[in-house]
Amino acid sequence: MNTQFTLGSISLTLHRWPLAQPNHSLQAWDAADELILTQALPILSDLTQRLATPPKVLIINDAFGALSCGLGAGSQVLMQDSVLAQLACRYNRTQNHLDNADITELSSLDALPDAPDLVLLKVPQNHSYLAHILAALSQVMTQETQLVVAAKAKDITKQVLALFSHYIGPTQASLTEKKCRYIQSQWQADATQRDAPAAMRWPLDDSHFTLVNYANVFAREKLDIGARLFLAHLPKVAPGSRVIDLGCGNGVLSLQLLAQQPDCKLILTDESYLAIASAQATLSENLPERLGDCQFVADDCLTQQAEHSADWIICNPPFHQQNAVTTHVASQMFRDAKRVLKTGGRLRIVANRHLPYKLQLEKLFGHCQQLAANPKFVILESIKRS
């Protein structure tokens, strides 16, 4: 997405990632980003004048770089769970002639910097991930830390406010402005019970396996029905095959595949750092003897994988990026899969029946076969013939 964003004297052009096939119907920021910047810029100016050293600025969950770009030049620490968000922010700063040299990138698995002066937080819709973020913040905030938070008004629920009260201190929400609201929390240094939520563990039906799910992982509390169908239609691969689980989530497909196939090598890849951690924990707890056959990679689709290197790719593709419903991420997955597959290699996916993936795969690979279906999902397979 290439769209002009203006806030006072700031004029930015923001681009929604990935850029290989931009979706011009999507905007790379929303009113909550604007509200956060409206409040944060005067605070940053004041801190810059008062402090003897440059302010320590921490930005959390900046999906496409609007907050980072809006603050402009200067040192920033950016914490995100998404590889795509990191790439988008880096790209948008470059496009807007902002130097990335002073930017420190953290994943959702990294410790936050101590005693930040200013924290900008875009509230995620996933409440378990919000709790993960707030628990980490509670370990590093001080009485002097200024916290600027906003979200769409409909997303600021009693549960969200309760999480802020629990981890940060007394909390209230502002009146609605541009269909968004601020969250104002008063830091309470003696607050208790600030540990991050534990990983969820639940048994996989009809097996002796237990799935491990950290915050912000798709289908964290139960097996999604698409994956359930896919588990019954996993491929039988030849000995020594190299298989990629693209968008692996908690690793359920890889777990079952490894249990069924005694001699194959797997690469589990996802754009979420917490998903990769979940998949690694799932395999470690259930099939520790097979960890030597696995690689775990946080990646933008298959960017880090070589051409003609995989025999099979299995995928339960998403139909959203952050909060936006879109199929362009799946489209990039399919293009990357064709590049990475060997000649004769196969891509097998599960997809919602109403999505146009069969047509996309037919156009890309020259053919696509439907292997199975239920009322909501289909199993599709394409072979790379050249």
Side-chain angles (χ1 to χ4, degrees), residues 14-18 62-65 69 80 83-94 321:
L14 295 177
H15 302 254
R16 178 178 285 270
W17 193 271
D62 188 7
F64 302 103
C69 290
Q80 292 142 326
V83 173
L84 292 179
Q86 290 180 331
L87 293 171
C89 187
R90 200 180 307 157
Y91 177 87
N92 284 323
R93 287 185 59 84
T94 300
Q321 182 181 0

Side-chain angles (χ1 to χ4, degrees), residues 144-205:
E144 304 302 318
T145 300
Q146 302 206 47
L147 177 63
V148 182
V149 184
K152 293 180 181 178
K154 66 181 179 65
D155 294 330
I156 299 181
T157 63
K158 290 182 179 179
Q159 183 179 356
V160 167
L161 295 177
L163 286 172
F164 275 87
S165 296
H166 177 74
Y167 286 103
I168 305 300
T171 296
Q172 61 183 3
S174 71
L175 297 176
T176 300
E177 183 178 345
K178 295 183 178 180
K179 297 183 179 181
C180 296
R181 300 168 77 186
Y182 293 115
I183 293 176
Q184 298 164 321
S185 290
Q186 180 181 348
W187 171 242
Q188 187 170 305
D190 59 349
T192 59
Q193 295 181 323
R194 290 181 176 171
D195 291 338
M200 294 192 69
R201 287 171 167 81
W202 38 268
L204 178 61
D205 295 346

Side-chain angles (χ1 to χ4, degrees), residues 88-352:
C89 187
R90 200 180 307 157
Y91 177 87
N92 284 323
R93 287 185 59 84
T94 300
Q95 291 299 301
N96 289 288
H97 312 293
L98 295 169
D99 192 355
N100 287 320
D102 291 332
I103 299 300
T104 300
E105 291 182 337
L106 300 179
S107 81
S108 50
L109 303 174
D110 295 320
L112 297 180
D114 287 332
D117 298 302
L118 175 61
V119 178
L120 277 58
L121 169 58
K122 181 77 170 293
V123 176
Q125 286 189 323
N126 186 309
H127 289 176
S128 67
Y129 183 41
L130 176 59
H132 174 91
I133 291 170
L134 294 178
L137 264 180
S138 73
Q139 304 298 322
V140 300
M141 283 183 64
T142 72
Q143 201 68 41
E144 304 302 318
T145 300
Q146 302 206 47
L147 177 63
V148 182
V149 184
K152 293 180 181 178
K154 66 181 179 65
D155 294 330
I156 299 181
T157 63
K158 290 182 179 179
Q159 183 179 356
V160 167
L161 295 177
L163 286 172
F164 275 87
S165 296
H166 177 74
Y167 286 103
I168 305 300
T171 296
Q172 61 183 3
S174 71
L175 297 176
T176 300
E177 183 178 345
K178 295 183 178 180
K179 297 183 179 181
C180 296
R181 300 168 77 186
Y182 293 115
I183 293 176
Q184 298 164 321
S185 290
Q186 180 181 348
W187 171 242
Q188 187 170 305
D190 59 349
T192 59
Q193 295 181 323
R194 290 181 176 171
D195 291 338
M200 294 192 69
R201 287 171 167 81
W202 38 268
L204 178 61
D205 295 346
D206 303 318
S207 78
H208 60 280
F209 296 136
T210 297
L211 299 180
V212 182
N213 301 265
Y214 290 109
N216 208 33
V217 178
F218 176 68
R220 182 171 184 255
E221 299 181 359
K222 61 181 180 180
L223 186 66
D224 74 281
I225 53 179
R228 187 180 303 277
L229 177 65
F230 208 164
L231 287 174
H233 297 279
L234 289 172
K236 292 181 172 56
V237 305
S241 293
R242 190 169 187 261
V243 182
I244 298 177
D245 185 351
L246 174 55
C248 63
N250 61 21
V252 60
L253 299 181
S254 289
L255 176 66
Q256 196 76 298
L257 190 65
L258 284 170
Q260 296 172 0
Q261 312 286 336
D263 185 16
C264 65
K265 305 291 184 182
L266 259 81
I267 297 174
L268 294 85
T269 179
D270 201 289
E271 64 100 19
S272 163
Y273 290 99
L274 285 165
I276 291 297
S278 298
Q280 191 161 8
T282 292
L283 270 295
S284 297
E285 291 193 12
N286 292 281
L287 294 174
E289 70 279 7
R290 296 299 303 276
L291 280 179
D293 295 324
C294 300
Q295 298 178 43
F296 301 89
V297 183
D299 198 2
D300 169 20
C301 295
L302 296 175
T303 301
Q304 299 180 44
Q305 302 302 316
E307 294 183 6
H308 314 298
S309 60
D311 300 289
W312 278 91
I313 296 175
I314 57 175
C315 183
N316 183 357
F319 53 90
H320 59 85
Q321 182 181 0
Q322 305 293 338
N323 298 331
V325 177
T326 173
T327 61
H328 74 275
V329 176
S331 298
Q332 184 185 348
M333 285 178 159
F334 301 157
R335 292 193 300 272
D336 279 9
K338 184 179 180 183
R339 175 183 61 82
V340 170
L341 283 170
K342 301 174 182 177
T343 300
R346 296 171 183 253
L347 168 67
R348 185 176 294 189
I349 74 166
V350 62
N352 294 78

Side-chain angles (χ1 to χ4, degrees), residues 13-63:
T13 300
L14 295 177
H15 302 254
R16 178 178 285 270
W17 193 271
L19 299 172
Q21 194 176 39
N23 188 330
H24 295 284
S25 67
L26 301 176
Q27 183 172 286
W29 71 89
D30 60 21
D33 293 306
E34 296 182 33
L35 288 181
I36 290 173
L37 288 172
T38 299
Q39 190 174 77
L41 285 168
I43 295 173
L44 180 60
S45 176
D46 177 67
L47 289 171
T48 302
Q49 293 177 23
R50 286 194 298 107
L51 299 179
T53 58
K56 295 169 66 175
V57 178
L58 171 62
I59 302 176
I60 302 174
N61 198 38
D62 188 7

